[in-house]
Amino acid sequence: GNSVTQMEGPVTLSEEAFLTINCTYTATGYPSLFWYVQYPGEGLQLLLKATKADDKGSNKGFEATYRKETTSFHLEKGSVQVSDSAVYFCALYTGTASKLTFGTGTRLQVTL
Amino acid sequence: DTEVTQTPKHLVMGMTNKKSLKCEQHMGHRAMYWYKQKAKKPPELMFVYSYEKLSINESVPSRFSPECPNSSLLNLHLHALQPEDSALYLCASSQSPFYEQYFGPGTRLTVT
């Protein structure tokens, strides 16, 4: 079956630090990969996506590259802000499973 | 506009009450979803409607009853809930089943 593994949180960084949140996956078929962000008290927002190997998704300074050889989709940002504090979910979809599979989420806390 | 709206924002109900959650989108999306999210956990899929027909029911107890009156609206009728049903209920929509999903802000449900 499909699964997504994310690094344990919380991740605590100072403002302007470099961010990496690791995400690896196991999937049958050729998954599409997503990062969602959930700010406190809110729903999930689609942050970025990639639908095939070597695709790079990017949005709001965040980037992630679909690496088929390492089955990874790590989220990166060069300089985080306090406003980036949130929970980040890695997710995948394959047609065979017919549902989104989420990772457990990684809480990011950015301090001044 | 990538907005999914949900009402109410908060709901407190007793175990004998009947209430409904409402979700609306005007993006022309033909797939809509209900998720349940417990604290510090990823969302769990409950139901999927595709072209206004129920296509997936993730073995959800019958005290939760979904309804899709038209392509823009999705309701979740609640009856005889248990305290463990207290959670954030999220609605989402996508252009077609399991294409990138857009989430609403959620309804925070407390069952007393």
Side-chain angles (χ1 to χ4, degrees), chain A residues 36 38 44 49 98-99, chain B residues 37 42 58 98 100-101 103:
Chain A
Y36 284 88
Q38 187 171 32
L44 276 70
K49 67 172 183 177
S98 297
K99 62 188 290 186
Chain B
Q37 187 181 26
E58 290 285 303
F98 297 105
E100 58 203 61
Q101 294 182 34
F103 284 78

Side-chain angles (χ1 to χ4, degrees), chain A residues 16-70:
Chain A
E16 299 184 2
F18 185 85
L19 168 71
T20 300
I21 299 178
N22 290 338
C23 171
T24 57
Y25 67 88
T26 303
T28 54
Y30 301 95
S32 294
L33 302 172
F34 307 90
W35 277 102
Y36 284 88
V37 58
Q38 187 171 32
Y39 297 101
E42 298 185 12
L44 276 70
Q45 295 178 26
L46 178 63
L47 184 58
L48 53 84
K49 67 172 183 177
T51 57
K52 62 183 188 297
D54 300 324
D55 269 1
K56 177 185 280 189
S58 61
N59 186 25
K60 300 181 181 179
F62 291 90
E63 292 183 342
T65 301
Y66 187 146
R67 301 284 188 203
K68 186 178 178 184
E69 64 276 10
T70 55

Side-chain angles (χ1 to χ4, degrees), chain B residues 37-107:
Chain B
Q37 187 181 26
K38 301 286 269 185
K40 299 187 179 182
K41 297 289 187 182
E44 298 173 25
L45 183 66
M46 301 175 71
F47 302 104
V48 180
Y49 273 83
S50 175
Y51 295 88
E52 302 166 45
K53 294 192 185 308
L54 183 64
S55 62
I56 294 179
N57 176 341
E58 290 285 303
S59 302
V60 178
S62 60
R63 58 185 183 268
F64 295 91
S65 175
E67 178 196 20
C68 188
N70 59 56
S71 60
S72 300
L73 278 175
L74 187 65
N75 298 320
L76 186 63
H77 303 297
L78 314 172
H79 173 55
L81 294 192
Q82 305 297 308
E84 59 265 29
D85 296 322
S86 299
L88 181 68
Y89 287 84
L90 294 163
C91 175
S93 70
S94 63
Q95 186 177 0
S96 59
F98 297 105
Y99 202 69
E100 58 203 61
Q101 294 182 34
Y102 294 90
F103 284 78
T107 293

